[in-house]
Amino acid sequence: MNRYKTEETRARQNARAGKTHAEIAELDQQETLQASIYERARKIHIERFPEEYDHYYDSIADASDRASGINPMSKEYIERVTTKRKKEGVSPLEENGLPTANDTWEIALAEAERQLQPE
């Protein structure tokens, strides 16, 4: 087990120490809901803002260009993405095509919470 998992397990056990079965069940339910929200938010983010994942598919040459501050995407694509992001009201991508802020993640997380939060 790696160090992160060990610490995560220890924190989980400490949070449950001295709790009743009902309180532990409530904590488990909250953790499950939170995990579902984050998973849904990740899917929403990928669907609504795929341009932030373009660099995952870079060739070695494209990655080198991005590291030098050059966006390897076509001008038409860059313009289309810039227009879309303005319309969405989120921050533009950097010159190299990478995101500058996490405002898109916050939008996806808020949408996931709206979809999954019990009323």
Side-chain angles (χ1 to χ4, degrees), residues 31-44 105 109 112-113 116:
E31 285 179 358
T32 301
L33 175 62
Q34 199 63 24
S36 296
I37 289 171
Y38 279 111
E39 181 64 24
R40 178 72 58 93
R42 187 180 66 78
K43 288 178 182 178
I44 291 169
W105 173 253
L109 186 58
E113 286 175 344
L116 296 177

Side-chain angles (χ1 to χ4, degrees), residues 19-89:
K19 304 266 194 243
T20 66
H21 288 295
E23 291 171 329
I24 292 171
E26 176 67 26
L27 282 175
D28 290 344
Q29 185 179 12
Q30 289 173 358
E31 285 179 358
T32 301
L33 175 62
Q34 199 63 24
S36 296
I37 289 171
Y38 279 111
E39 181 64 24
R40 178 72 58 93
R42 187 180 66 78
K43 288 178 182 178
I44 291 169
H45 192 260
I46 290 169
E47 289 171 3
R48 286 189 58 188
F49 305 103
E51 66 273 8
E52 293 190 16
Y53 298 90
D54 288 342
H55 66 281
Y56 286 11
Y57 306 106
D58 282 354
S59 66
I60 294 171
D62 291 345
S64 177
D65 284 346
R66 278 194 207 273
S68 300
I70 301 166
N71 190 342
M73 306 309 279
S74 71
K75 296 292 182 206
E76 297 82 24
Y77 178 77
I78 293 169
E79 289 170 7
R80 192 170 61 240
V81 166
T82 302
T83 303
K84 174 191 158 233
R85 291 177 73 85
K86 278 183 184 177
K87 220 184 280 188
E88 294 269 354

